[in-house]
PDB file of all heavy atoms in Angstrom:
ATOM      1  N   ASP L   1      96.734  78.979 117.691  1.00  0.00           N
ATOM      2  CA  ASP L   1      95.577  78.769 116.817  1.00  0.00           C
ATOM      3  C   ASP L   1      95.911  78.997 115.344  1.00  0.00           C
ATOM      4  O   ASP L   1      95.069  78.769 114.475  1.00  0.00           O
ATOM      5  CB  ASP L   1      94.421  79.684 117.227  1.00  0.00           C
ATOM      6  CG  ASP L   1      93.924  79.383 118.629  1.00  0.00           C
ATOM      7  OD1 ASP L   1      94.004  78.212 119.055  1.00  0.00           O
ATOM      8  OD2 ASP L   1      93.478  80.331 119.304  1.00  0.00           O
ATOM      9  N   LYS L   2      97.118  79.483 115.096  1.00  0.00           N
ATOM     10  CA  LYS L   2      97.648  79.679 113.734  1.00  0.00           C
ATOM     11  C   LYS L   2      96.884  80.723 112.919  1.00  0.00           C
ATOM     12  O   LYS L   2      97.009  80.772 111.707  1.00  0.00           O
ATOM     13  CB  LYS L   2      97.741  78.352 112.985  1.00  0.00           C
ATOM     14  CG  LYS L   2      98.596  77.331 113.712  1.00  0.00           C
ATOM     15  CD  LYS L   2      98.511  75.965 113.077  1.00  0.00           C
ATOM     16  CE  LYS L   2      99.215  74.923 113.905  1.00  0.00           C
ATOM     17  NZ  LYS L   2      98.516  74.561 115.135  1.00  0.00           N
ATOM     18  N   GLU L   3      96.124  81.574 113.569  1.00  0.00           N
ATOM     19  CA  GLU L   3      95.363  82.593 112.851  1.00  0.00           C
ATOM     20  C   GLU L   3      96.281  83.636 112.217  1.00  0.00           C
ATOM     21  O   GLU L   3      96.087  84.031 111.071  1.00  0.00           O
ATOM     22  CB  GLU L   3      94.358  83.259 113.787  1.00  0.00           C
ATOM     23  CG  GLU L   3      93.224  82.331 114.186  1.00  0.00           C
ATOM     24  CD  GLU L   3      92.267  82.954 115.179  1.00  0.00           C
ATOM     25  OE1 GLU L   3      92.301  84.193 115.355  1.00  0.00           O
ATOM     26  OE2 GLU L   3      91.483  82.207 115.778  1.00  0.00           O
ATOM     27  N   VAL L   4      97.270  84.098 112.963  1.00  0.00           N
ATOM     28  CA  VAL L   4      98.197  85.097 112.433  1.00  0.00           C
ATOM     29  C   VAL L   4      99.139  84.447 111.418  1.00  0.00           C
ATOM     30  O   VAL L   4      99.451  85.047 110.386  1.00  0.00           O
ATOM     31  CB  VAL L   4      98.967  85.783 113.582  1.00  0.00           C
ATOM     32  CG1 VAL L   4     100.020  86.745 113.046  1.00  0.00           C
ATOM     33  CG2 VAL L   4      97.984  86.516 114.494  1.00  0.00           C
ATOM     34  N   LEU L   5      99.556  83.219 111.685  1.00  0.00           N
ATOM     35  CA  LEU L   5     100.398  82.491 110.719  1.00  0.00           C
ATOM     36  C   LEU L   5      99.694  82.398 109.365  1.00  0.00           C
ATOM     37  O   LEU L   5     100.319  82.581 108.313  1.00  0.00           O
ATOM     38  CB  LEU L   5     100.709  81.083 111.233  1.00  0.00           C
ATOM     39  CG  LEU L   5     101.467  80.985 112.551  1.00  0.00           C
ATOM     40  CD1 LEU L   5     101.553  79.536 113.003  1.00  0.00           C
ATOM     41  CD2 LEU L   5     102.845  81.602 112.436  1.00  0.00           C
ATOM     42  N   LYS L   6      98.409  82.139 109.393  1.00  0.00           N
ATOM     43  CA  LYS L   6      97.633  82.050 108.151  1.00  0.00           C
ATOM     44  C   LYS L   6      97.443  83.436 107.534  1.00  0.00           C
ATOM     45  O   LYS L   6      97.534  83.589 106.315  1.00  0.00           O
ATOM     46  CB  LYS L   6      96.285  81.376 108.403  1.00  0.00           C
ATOM     47  CG  LYS L   6      96.425  79.897 108.720  1.00  0.00           C
ATOM     48  CD  LYS L   6      95.097  79.280 109.095  1.00  0.00           C
ATOM     49  CE  LYS L   6      95.266  77.833 109.512  1.00  0.00           C
ATOM     50  NZ  LYS L   6      94.003  77.245 109.988  1.00  0.00           N
ATOM     51  N   ALA L   7      97.181  84.449 108.349  1.00  0.00           N
ATOM     52  CA  ALA L   7      96.989  85.802 107.834  1.00  0.00           C
ATOM     53  C   ALA L   7      98.242  86.307 107.120  1.00  0.00           C
ATOM     54  O   ALA L   7      98.149  87.009 106.112  1.00  0.00           O
ATOM     55  CB  ALA L   7      96.604  86.757 108.963  1.00  0.00           C
ATOM     56  N   TYR L   8      99.406  85.926 107.625  1.00  0.00           N
ATOM     57  CA  TYR L   8     100.670  86.322 107.011  1.00  0.00           C
ATOM     58  C   TYR L   8     101.137  85.309 105.959  1.00  0.00           C
ATOM     59  O   TYR L   8     102.220  85.450 105.413  1.00  0.00           O
ATOM     60  CB  TYR L   8     101.748  86.536 108.077  1.00  0.00           C
ATOM     61  CG  TYR L   8     101.649  87.907 108.718  1.00  0.00           C
ATOM     62  CD1 TYR L   8     100.756  88.154 109.754  1.00  0.00           C
ATOM     63  CD2 TYR L   8     102.427  88.962 108.264  1.00  0.00           C
ATOM     64  CE1 TYR L   8     100.651  89.407 110.338  1.00  0.00           C
ATOM     65  CE2 TYR L   8     102.337  90.222 108.838  1.00  0.00           C
ATOM     66  CZ  TYR L   8     101.441  90.432 109.867  1.00  0.00           C
ATOM     67  OH  TYR L   8     101.347  91.691 110.427  1.00  0.00           O
ATOM     68  N   THR L   9     100.316  84.307 105.707  1.00  0.00           N
ATOM     69  CA  THR L   9     100.531  83.278 104.671  1.00  0.00           C
ATOM     70  C   THR L   9     101.835  82.500 104.847  1.00  0.00           C
ATOM     71  O   THR L   9     102.455  82.072 103.879  1.00  0.00           O
ATOM     72  CB  THR L   9     100.448  83.869 103.234  1.00  0.00           C
ATOM     73  OG1 THR L   9     101.560  84.726 102.989  1.00  0.00           O
ATOM     74  CG2 THR L   9      99.123  84.591 103.007  1.00  0.00           C
ATOM     75  N   VAL L  10     102.233  82.287 106.100  1.00  0.00           N
ATOM     76  CA  VAL L  10     103.441  81.503 106.363  1.00  0.00           C
ATOM     77  C   VAL L  10     103.106  80.071 106.790  1.00  0.00           C
ATOM     78  O   VAL L  10     104.008  79.254 106.945  1.00  0.00           O
ATOM     79  CB  VAL L  10     104.354  82.181 107.408  1.00  0.00           C
ATOM     80  CG1 VAL L  10     104.780  83.556 106.915  1.00  0.00           C
ATOM     81  CG2 VAL L  10     103.692  82.280 108.769  1.00  0.00           C
ATOM     82  N   TRP L  11     101.823  79.776 106.999  1.00  0.00           N
ATOM     83  CA  TRP L  11     101.364  78.415 107.313  1.00  0.00           C
ATOM     84  C   TRP L  11     101.095  77.749 105.969  1.00  0.00           C
ATOM     85  O   TRP L  11     100.096  78.036 105.311  1.00  0.00           O
ATOM     86  CB  TRP L  11     100.120  78.461 108.189  1.00  0.00           C
ATOM     87  CG  TRP L  11      99.649  77.129 108.670  1.00  0.00           C
ATOM     88  CD1 TRP L  11      98.526  76.472 108.280  1.00  0.00           C
ATOM     89  CD2 TRP L  11     100.279  76.276 109.631  1.00  0.00           C
ATOM     90  NE1 TRP L  11      98.413  75.283 108.934  1.00  0.00           N
ATOM     91  CE2 TRP L  11      99.479  75.121 109.773  1.00  0.00           C
ATOM     92  CE3 TRP L  11     101.446  76.367 110.388  1.00  0.00           C
ATOM     93  CZ2 TRP L  11      99.805  74.083 110.635  1.00  0.00           C
ATOM     94  CZ3 TRP L  11     101.769  75.337 111.242  1.00  0.00           C
ATOM     95  CH2 TRP L  11     100.958  74.226 111.364  1.00  0.00           C
ATOM     96  N   GLN L  12     102.023  76.899 105.547  1.00  0.00           N
ATOM     97  CA  GLN L  12     101.981  76.360 104.194  1.00  0.00           C
ATOM     98  C   GLN L  12     102.327  74.881 104.163  1.00  0.00           C
ATOM     99  O   GLN L  12     102.845  74.340 105.137  1.00  0.00           O
ATOM    100  CB  GLN L  12     102.983  77.103 103.297  1.00  0.00           C
ATOM    101  CG  GLN L  12     102.724  78.561 103.147  1.00  0.00           C
ATOM    102  CD  GLN L  12     103.810  79.245 102.317  1.00  0.00           C
ATOM    103  OE1 GLN L  12     104.603  78.603 101.646  1.00  0.00           O
ATOM    104  NE2 GLN L  12     103.839  80.564 102.370  1.00  0.00           N
ATOM    105  N   LYS L  13     102.084  74.290 102.992  1.00  0.00           N
ATOM    106  CA  LYS L  13     102.500  72.907 102.777  1.00  0.00           C
ATOM    107  C   LYS L  13     104.020  72.859 102.734  1.00  0.00           C
ATOM    108  O   LYS L  13     104.663  73.692 102.104  1.00  0.00           O
ATOM    109  CB  LYS L  13     101.949  72.356 101.456  1.00  0.00           C
ATOM    110  CG  LYS L  13     100.525  71.896 101.538  1.00  0.00           C
ATOM    111  CD  LYS L  13     100.157  71.065 100.339  1.00  0.00           C
ATOM    112  CE  LYS L  13      99.698  71.960  99.216  1.00  0.00           C
ATOM    113  NZ  LYS L  13      99.163  71.211  98.085  1.00  0.00           N
ATOM    114  N   LYS L  14     104.558  71.871 103.439  1.00  0.00           N
ATOM    115  CA  LYS L  14     105.998  71.641 103.449  1.00  0.00           C
ATOM    116  C   LYS L  14     106.231  70.160 103.172  1.00  0.00           C
ATOM    117  O   LYS L  14     105.325  69.344 103.321  1.00  0.00           O
ATOM    118  CB  LYS L  14     106.584  72.017 104.816  1.00  0.00           C
ATOM    119  CG  LYS L  14     106.473  73.488 105.142  1.00  0.00           C
ATOM    120  CD  LYS L  14     106.880  73.804 106.556  1.00  0.00           C
ATOM    121  CE  LYS L  14     108.364  73.807 106.734  1.00  0.00           C
ATOM    122  NZ  LYS L  14     108.797  74.281 108.059  1.00  0.00           N
ATOM    123  N   SER L  15     107.441  69.834 102.807  1.00  0.00           N
ATOM    124  CA  SER L  15     107.795  68.449 102.537  1.00  0.00           C
ATOM    125  C   SER L  15     109.115  68.131 103.221  1.00  0.00           C
ATOM    126  O   SER L  15     110.068  68.928 103.150  1.00  0.00           O
ATOM    127  CB  SER L  15     107.915  68.239 101.027  1.00  0.00           C
ATOM    128  OG  SER L  15     108.343  66.932 100.756  1.00  0.00           O
ATOM    129  N   LEU L  16     109.161  67.009 103.901  1.00  0.00           N
ATOM    130  CA  LEU L  16     110.388  66.569 104.558  1.00  0.00           C
ATOM    131  C   LEU L  16     110.472  65.054 104.428  1.00  0.00           C
ATOM    132  O   LEU L  16     109.549  64.346 104.865  1.00  0.00           O
ATOM    133  CB  LEU L  16     110.384  66.989 106.035  1.00  0.00           C
ATOM    134  CG  LEU L  16     111.627  66.652 106.843  1.00  0.00           C
ATOM    135  CD1 LEU L  16     112.844  67.409 106.301  1.00  0.00           C
ATOM    136  CD2 LEU L  16     111.411  67.002 108.301  1.00  0.00           C
ATOM    137  N   TYR L  17     111.528  64.588 103.822  1.00  0.00           N
ATOM    138  CA  TYR L  17     111.737  63.144 103.615  1.00  0.00           C
ATOM    139  C   TYR L  17     110.529  62.498 102.938  1.00  0.00           C
ATOM    140  O   TYR L  17     110.116  61.407 103.295  1.00  0.00           O
ATOM    141  CB  TYR L  17     112.055  62.439 104.931  1.00  0.00           C
ATOM    142  CG  TYR L  17     113.241  63.025 105.650  1.00  0.00           C
ATOM    143  CD1 TYR L  17     113.098  63.586 106.913  1.00  0.00           C
ATOM    144  CD2 TYR L  17     114.494  63.040 105.061  1.00  0.00           C
ATOM    145  CE1 TYR L  17     114.179  64.142 107.578  1.00  0.00           C
ATOM    146  CE2 TYR L  17     115.590  63.601 105.719  1.00  0.00           C
ATOM    147  CZ  TYR L  17     115.423  64.134 106.970  1.00  0.00           C
ATOM    148  OH  TYR L  17     116.491  64.678 107.616  1.00  0.00           O
ATOM    149  N   GLY L  18     109.954  63.209 101.966  1.00  0.00           N
ATOM    150  CA  GLY L  18     108.829  62.681 101.205  1.00  0.00           C
ATOM    151  C   GLY L  18     107.478  62.813 101.880  1.00  0.00           C
ATOM    152  O   GLY L  18     106.450  62.491 101.293  1.00  0.00           O
ATOM    153  N   ARG L  19     107.463  63.293 103.116  1.00  0.00           N
ATOM    154  CA  ARG L  19     106.210  63.478 103.846  1.00  0.00           C
ATOM    155  C   ARG L  19     105.738  64.914 103.663  1.00  0.00           C
ATOM    156  O   ARG L  19     106.504  65.857 103.832  1.00  0.00           O
ATOM    157  CB  ARG L  19     106.441  63.180 105.333  1.00  0.00           C
ATOM    158  CG  ARG L  19     105.192  63.193 106.177  1.00  0.00           C
ATOM    159  CD  ARG L  19     105.485  62.751 107.608  1.00  0.00           C
ATOM    160  NE  ARG L  19     106.162  63.771 108.379  1.00  0.00           N
ATOM    161  CZ  ARG L  19     105.555  64.715 109.092  1.00  0.00           C
ATOM    162  NH1 ARG L  19     104.243  64.778 109.133  1.00  0.00           N
ATOM    163  NH2 ARG L  19     106.261  65.597 109.778  1.00  0.00           N
ATOM    164  N   ILE L  20     104.471  65.081 103.289  1.00  0.00           N
ATOM    165  CA  ILE L  20     103.896  66.411 103.103  1.00  0.00           C
ATOM    166  C   ILE L  20     103.061  66.759 104.331  1.00  0.00           C
ATOM    167  O   ILE L  20     102.274  65.937 104.805  1.00  0.00           O
ATOM    168  CB  ILE L  20     103.043  66.469 101.820  1.00  0.00           C
ATOM    169  CG1 ILE L  20     103.939  66.229 100.602  1.00  0.00           C
ATOM    170  CG2 ILE L  20     102.332  67.813 101.705  1.00  0.00           C
ATOM    171  CD1 ILE L  20     103.193  66.106  99.308  1.00  0.00           C
ATOM    172  N   PHE L  21     103.259  67.961 104.836  1.00  0.00           N
ATOM    173  CA  PHE L  21     102.559  68.400 106.042  1.00  0.00           C
ATOM    174  C   PHE L  21     102.441  69.912 106.027  1.00  0.00           C
ATOM    175  O   PHE L  21     103.101  70.582 105.225  1.00  0.00           O
ATOM    176  CB  PHE L  21     103.305  67.933 107.298  1.00  0.00           C
ATOM    177  CG  PHE L  21     104.720  68.462 107.375  1.00  0.00           C
ATOM    178  CD1 PHE L  21     105.011  69.586 108.122  1.00  0.00           C
ATOM    179  CD2 PHE L  21     105.746  67.839 106.686  1.00  0.00           C
ATOM    180  CE1 PHE L  21     106.304  70.087 108.189  1.00  0.00           C
ATOM    181  CE2 PHE L  21     107.050  68.322 106.744  1.00  0.00           C
ATOM    182  CZ  PHE L  21     107.322  69.452 107.497  1.00  0.00           C
ATOM    183  N   LEU L  22     101.596  70.451 106.888  1.00  0.00           N
ATOM    184  CA  LEU L  22     101.486  71.899 107.040  1.00  0.00           C
ATOM    185  C   LEU L  22     102.441  72.355 108.133  1.00  0.00           C
ATOM    186  O   LEU L  22     102.569  71.704 109.173  1.00  0.00           O
ATOM    187  CB  LEU L  22     100.057  72.301 107.408  1.00  0.00           C
ATOM    188  CG  LEU L  22      99.056  72.225 106.263  1.00  0.00           C
ATOM    189  CD1 LEU L  22      97.634  72.406 106.788  1.00  0.00           C
ATOM    190  CD2 LEU L  22      99.365  73.255 105.199  1.00  0.00           C
ATOM    191  N   GLY L  23     103.109  73.464 107.886  1.00  0.00           N
ATOM    192  CA  GLY L  23     104.036  73.997 108.871  1.00  0.00           C
ATOM    193  C   GLY L  23     104.360  75.446 108.565  1.00  0.00           C
ATOM    194  O   GLY L  23     103.896  76.025 107.576  1.00  0.00           O
ATOM    195  N   ILE L  24     105.180  76.023 109.420  1.00  0.00           N
ATOM    196  CA  ILE L  24     105.577  77.419 109.278  1.00  0.00           C
ATOM    197  C   ILE L  24     106.774  77.504 108.340  1.00  0.00           C
ATOM    198  O   ILE L  24     107.794  76.856 108.569  1.00  0.00           O
ATOM    199  CB  ILE L  24     105.936  78.029 110.645  1.00  0.00           C
ATOM    200  CG1 ILE L  24     104.715  77.999 111.566  1.00  0.00           C
ATOM    201  CG2 ILE L  24     106.457  79.459 110.482  1.00  0.00           C
ATOM    202  CD1 ILE L  24     105.022  78.344 113.014  1.00  0.00           C
ATOM    203  N   VAL L  25     106.628  78.298 107.294  1.00  0.00           N
ATOM    204  CA  VAL L  25     107.735  78.582 106.386  1.00  0.00           C
ATOM    205  C   VAL L  25     108.452  79.803 106.950  1.00  0.00           C
ATOM    206  O   VAL L  25     107.839  80.870 107.129  1.00  0.00           O
ATOM    207  CB  VAL L  25     107.240  78.840 104.951  1.00  0.00           C
ATOM    208  CG1 VAL L  25     108.384  79.268 104.049  1.00  0.00           C
ATOM    209  CG2 VAL L  25     106.554  77.604 104.399  1.00  0.00           C
ATOM    210  N   ARG L  26     109.735  79.642 107.253  1.00  0.00           N
ATOM    211  CA  ARG L  26     110.524  80.717 107.863  1.00  0.00           C
ATOM    212  C   ARG L  26     110.485  81.950 106.951  1.00  0.00           C
ATOM    213  O   ARG L  26     110.967  81.925 105.829  1.00  0.00           O
ATOM    214  CB  ARG L  26     111.963  80.232 108.051  1.00  0.00           C
ATOM    215  CG  ARG L  26     112.829  81.134 108.889  1.00  0.00           C
ATOM    216  CD  ARG L  26     114.256  80.614 108.966  1.00  0.00           C
ATOM    217  NE  ARG L  26     114.349  79.231 109.387  1.00  0.00           N
ATOM    218  CZ  ARG L  26     114.351  78.792 110.639  1.00  0.00           C
ATOM    219  NH1 ARG L  26     114.236  79.658 111.629  1.00  0.00           N
ATOM    220  NH2 ARG L  26     114.463  77.513 110.915  1.00  0.00           N
ATOM    221  N   THR L  27     109.871  83.028 107.463  1.00  0.00           N
ATOM    222  CA  THR L  27     109.638  84.239 106.666  1.00  0.00           C
ATOM    223  C   THR L  27     109.785  85.452 107.578  1.00  0.00           C
ATOM    224  O   THR L  27     109.401  85.406 108.748  1.00  0.00           O
ATOM    225  CB  THR L  27     108.205  84.230 106.081  1.00  0.00           C
ATOM    226  OG1 THR L  27     108.004  83.013 105.366  1.00  0.00           O
ATOM    227  CG2 THR L  27     107.951  85.408 105.171  1.00  0.00           C
ATOM    228  N   THR L  28     110.339  86.529 107.024  1.00  0.00           N
ATOM    229  CA  THR L  28     110.471  87.783 107.774  1.00  0.00           C
ATOM    230  C   THR L  28     109.792  88.906 107.010  1.00  0.00           C
ATOM    231  O   THR L  28     109.919  88.990 105.787  1.00  0.00           O
ATOM    232  CB  THR L  28     111.959  88.123 107.999  1.00  0.00           C
ATOM    233  OG1 THR L  28     112.574  87.069 108.737  1.00  0.00           O
ATOM    234  CG2 THR L  28     112.126  89.435 108.754  1.00  0.00           C
ATOM    235  N   PHE L  29     109.091  89.748 107.756  1.00  0.00           N
ATOM    236  CA  PHE L  29     108.440  90.935 107.202  1.00  0.00           C
ATOM    237  C   PHE L  29     109.024  92.160 107.887  1.00  0.00           C
ATOM    238  O   PHE L  29     109.173  92.168 109.114  1.00  0.00           O
ATOM    239  CB  PHE L  29     106.932  90.923 107.478  1.00  0.00           C
ATOM    240  CG  PHE L  29     106.197  89.815 106.784  1.00  0.00           C
ATOM    241  CD1 PHE L  29     106.099  88.556 107.362  1.00  0.00           C
ATOM    242  CD2 PHE L  29     105.591  90.031 105.549  1.00  0.00           C
ATOM    243  CE1 PHE L  29     105.422  87.522 106.728  1.00  0.00           C
ATOM    244  CE2 PHE L  29     104.913  89.007 104.906  1.00  0.00           C
ATOM    245  CZ  PHE L  29     104.834  87.758 105.491  1.00  0.00           C
ATOM    246  N   ILE L  30     109.336  93.176 107.099  1.00  0.00           N
ATOM    247  CA  ILE L  30     109.631  94.486 107.679  1.00  0.00           C
ATOM    248  C   ILE L  30     108.375  95.314 107.450  1.00  0.00           C
ATOM    249  O   ILE L  30     107.911  95.474 106.313  1.00  0.00           O
ATOM    250  CB  ILE L  30     110.859  95.152 107.032  1.00  0.00           C
ATOM    251  CG1 ILE L  30     112.116  94.319 107.315  1.00  0.00           C
ATOM    252  CG2 ILE L  30     111.019  96.586 107.569  1.00  0.00           C
ATOM    253  CD1 ILE L  30     113.376  94.867 106.661  1.00  0.00           C
ATOM    254  N   ILE L  31     107.824  95.799 108.553  1.00  0.00           N
ATOM    255  CA  ILE L  31     106.590  96.584 108.525  1.00  0.00           C
ATOM    256  C   ILE L  31     106.962  98.016 108.886  1.00  0.00           C
ATOM    257  O   ILE L  31     107.667  98.252 109.877  1.00  0.00           O
ATOM    258  CB  ILE L  31     105.560  95.987 109.512  1.00  0.00           C
ATOM    259  CG1 ILE L  31     105.268  94.530 109.114  1.00  0.00           C
ATOM    260  CG2 ILE L  31     104.301  96.829 109.540  1.00  0.00           C
ATOM    261  CD1 ILE L  31     104.498  93.743 110.148  1.00  0.00           C
ATOM    262  N   ASP L  32     106.510  98.963 108.075  1.00  0.00           N
ATOM    263  CA  ASP L  32     106.897 100.355 108.307  1.00  0.00           C
ATOM    264  C   ASP L  32     106.114 100.976 109.467  1.00  0.00           C
ATOM    265  O   ASP L  32     105.257 100.333 110.090  1.00  0.00           O
ATOM    266  CB  ASP L  32     106.811 101.182 107.020  1.00  0.00           C
ATOM    267  CG  ASP L  32     105.391 101.546 106.588  1.00  0.00           C
ATOM    268  OD1 ASP L  32     104.416 101.363 107.354  1.00  0.00           O
ATOM    269  OD2 ASP L  32     105.260 102.037 105.446  1.00  0.00           O
ATOM    270  N   GLU L  33     106.419 102.234 109.729  1.00  0.00           N
ATOM    271  CA  GLU L  33     105.846 102.961 110.873  1.00  0.00           C
ATOM    272  C   GLU L  33     104.337 103.097 110.814  1.00  0.00           C
ATOM    273  O   GLU L  33     103.693 103.314 111.834  1.00  0.00           O
ATOM    274  CB  GLU L  33     106.467 104.371 110.948  1.00  0.00           C
ATOM    275  CG  GLU L  33     107.964 104.383 111.166  1.00  0.00           C
ATOM    276  CD  GLU L  33     108.811 104.256 109.897  1.00  0.00           C
ATOM    277  OE1 GLU L  33     108.264 103.958 108.808  1.00  0.00           O
ATOM    278  OE2 GLU L  33     110.029 104.450 109.991  1.00  0.00           O
ATOM    279  N   LYS L  34     103.767 102.954 109.614  1.00  0.00           N
ATOM    280  CA  LYS L  34     102.319 103.105 109.448  1.00  0.00           C
ATOM    281  C   LYS L  34     101.590 101.768 109.319  1.00  0.00           C
ATOM    282  O   LYS L  34     100.395 101.730 109.060  1.00  0.00           O
ATOM    283  CB  LYS L  34     102.031 103.970 108.221  1.00  0.00           C
ATOM    284  CG  LYS L  34     102.536 105.389 108.371  1.00  0.00           C
ATOM    285  CD  LYS L  34     102.279 106.201 107.129  1.00  0.00           C
ATOM    286  CE  LYS L  34     102.852 107.593 107.293  1.00  0.00           C
ATOM    287  NZ  LYS L  34     102.743 108.359 106.057  1.00  0.00           N
ATOM    288  N   GLY L  35     102.320 100.659 109.465  1.00  0.00           N
ATOM    289  CA  GLY L  35     101.678  99.349 109.389  1.00  0.00           C
ATOM    290  C   GLY L  35     101.607  98.774 107.984  1.00  0.00           C
ATOM    291  O   GLY L  35     100.823  97.858 107.730  1.00  0.00           O
ATOM    292  N   ILE L  36     102.436  99.271 107.085  1.00  0.00           N
ATOM    293  CA  ILE L  36     102.486  98.774 105.707  1.00  0.00           C
ATOM    294  C   ILE L  36     103.719  97.885 105.555  1.00  0.00           C
ATOM    295  O   ILE L  36     104.802  98.222 106.056  1.00  0.00           O
ATOM    296  CB  ILE L  36     102.545  99.940 104.688  1.00  0.00           C
ATOM    297  CG1 ILE L  36     101.352 100.881 104.869  1.00  0.00           C
ATOM    298  CG2 ILE L  36     102.636  99.420 103.254  1.00  0.00           C
ATOM    299  CD1 ILE L  36      99.993 100.239 104.658  1.00  0.00           C
ATOM    300  N   ILE L  37     103.567  96.775 104.851  1.00  0.00           N
ATOM    301  CA  ILE L  37     104.704  95.888 104.624  1.00  0.00           C
ATOM    302  C   ILE L  37     105.684  96.584 103.691  1.00  0.00           C
ATOM    303  O   ILE L  37     105.332  96.981 102.576  1.00  0.00           O
ATOM    304  CB  ILE L  37     104.241  94.544 104.028  1.00  0.00           C
ATOM    305  CG1 ILE L  37     103.343  93.805 105.034  1.00  0.00           C
ATOM    306  CG2 ILE L  37     105.447  93.688 103.639  1.00  0.00           C
ATOM    307  CD1 ILE L  37     102.652  92.582 104.471  1.00  0.00           C
ATOM    308  N   ALA L  38     106.924  96.744 104.173  1.00  0.00           N
ATOM    309  CA  ALA L  38     107.963  97.406 103.383  1.00  0.00           C
ATOM    310  C   ALA L  38     108.824  96.391 102.629  1.00  0.00           C
ATOM    311  O   ALA L  38     109.318  96.681 101.545  1.00  0.00           O
ATOM    312  CB  ALA L  38     108.840  98.266 104.288  1.00  0.00           C
ATOM    313  N   LYS L  39     108.992  95.199 103.211  1.00  0.00           N
ATOM    314  CA  LYS L  39     109.858  94.181 102.607  1.00  0.00           C
ATOM    315  C   LYS L  39     109.443  92.817 103.134  1.00  0.00           C
ATOM    316  O   LYS L  39     109.082  92.672 104.286  1.00  0.00           O
ATOM    317  CB  LYS L  39     111.319  94.472 102.983  1.00  0.00           C
ATOM    318  CG  LYS L  39     112.329  93.483 102.502  1.00  0.00           C
ATOM    319  CD  LYS L  39     112.853  93.841 101.141  1.00  0.00           C
ATOM    320  CE  LYS L  39     113.977  92.906 100.744  1.00  0.00           C
ATOM    321  NZ  LYS L  39     114.127  92.738  99.336  1.00  0.00           N
ATOM    322  N   VAL L  40     109.513  91.821 102.242  1.00  0.00           N
ATOM    323  CA  VAL L  40     109.232  90.435 102.620  1.00  0.00           C
ATOM    324  C   VAL L  40     110.451  89.598 102.272  1.00  0.00           C
ATOM    325  O   VAL L  40     110.993  89.696 101.173  1.00  0.00           O
ATOM    326  CB  VAL L  40     108.002  89.877 101.866  1.00  0.00           C
ATOM    327  CG1 VAL L  40     107.721  88.440 102.293  1.00  0.00           C
ATOM    328  CG2 VAL L  40     106.776  90.750 102.086  1.00  0.00           C
TER     329      VAL L  40
END
């Protein structure tokens, strides 16, 4: 349903061979022991 993808803002506009579409931008988050983002 892409709800978490959107919450983490990785569901974005992408372009491939001149075609624009929505897709997942490869992204990694390190989340600390308390649930806070430590690194993106």
Side-chain angles (χ1 to χ4, degrees):
D1 297 329
K2 303 171 187 73
E3 290 177 15
V4 175
L5 299 173
K6 290 175 184 175
Y8 278 83
T9 69
V10 300
W11 185 250
Q12 299 176 14
K13 279 194 274 187
K14 295 172 77 173
S15 176
L16 183 64
Y17 304 118
R19 186 174 75 89
I20 296 173
F21 59 97
L22 286 170
I24 298 169
V25 174
R26 190 183 307 276
T27 306
T28 300
F29 294 86
I30 296 177
I31 301 168
D32 75 11
E33 298 85 350
K34 296 178 183 174
I36 303 299
I37 296 171
K39 177 90 174 153
V40 181

